[in-house]
Amino acid sequence: FWMVGIVATPGAPVLEVLMDGGQLVVQWPAAEGDFVLQRATDLATGRWQTIPGPYPESDGIHQVVLPRPTDHEMYRLLSPAD
C-alpha cells in the first residue's frame, strides 16, 4: 500500500501528481518561477529531501518522473530563497 500527498507551500505553484505506466509524474507550471521539488515520508519529523534538478520543461510545464513510491510520500515546492 502506498499513498502520495501534496503539501501546499504559500507562494508556490500548485503541484499535479499523475501515474504513468507505473511511474509517478510530478508537474507544475514553469512560468511560476524557480522552485525546488522536495519529498518527505513523515511530516511529523519536518525533514524534507530535495530532489535534484534540473527539472525538465516541456510546453511550459516542469515534469519530474519518479519511481512509484513503496510507502507514503509527500511532495512540495520550495523557493530556493527559503
Side-chain angles (χ1 to χ4, degrees), residues 1-2 4-7 9 18 21-22 26-27 32 35 40 42 51 55-56 58 65 70 74-75:
F1 173 72
W2 56 275
V4 173
I6 297 171
V7 177
T9 304
L18 313 162
V26 181
Q27 61 186 28
E32 298 288 334
F35 289 88
D42 184 353
I51 298 170
Y55 308 116
S58 177
V65 179
T70 57
M74 282 64 66
Y75 294 89

Side-chain angles (χ1 to χ4, degrees), residues 6-71:
I6 297 171
V7 177
T9 304
V14 174
L15 283 174
E16 183 177 9
V17 177
L18 313 162
M19 288 298 297
D20 183 19
Q23 294 182 307
L24 191 70
V25 178
V26 181
Q27 61 186 28
W28 66 96
E32 298 288 334
D34 292 329
F35 289 88
V36 294
L37 181 62
Q38 294 188 320
R39 161 181 33 213
T41 56
D42 184 353
L43 292 178
T45 66
R47 284 180 275 185
W48 289 87
Q49 174 188 20
T50 297
I51 298 170
Y55 308 116
E57 180 185 338
S58 177
D59 296 324
I61 301 290
H62 286 296
Q63 280 193 333
V64 179
V65 179
L66 303 165
R68 187 176 105 180
T70 57
D71 201 356

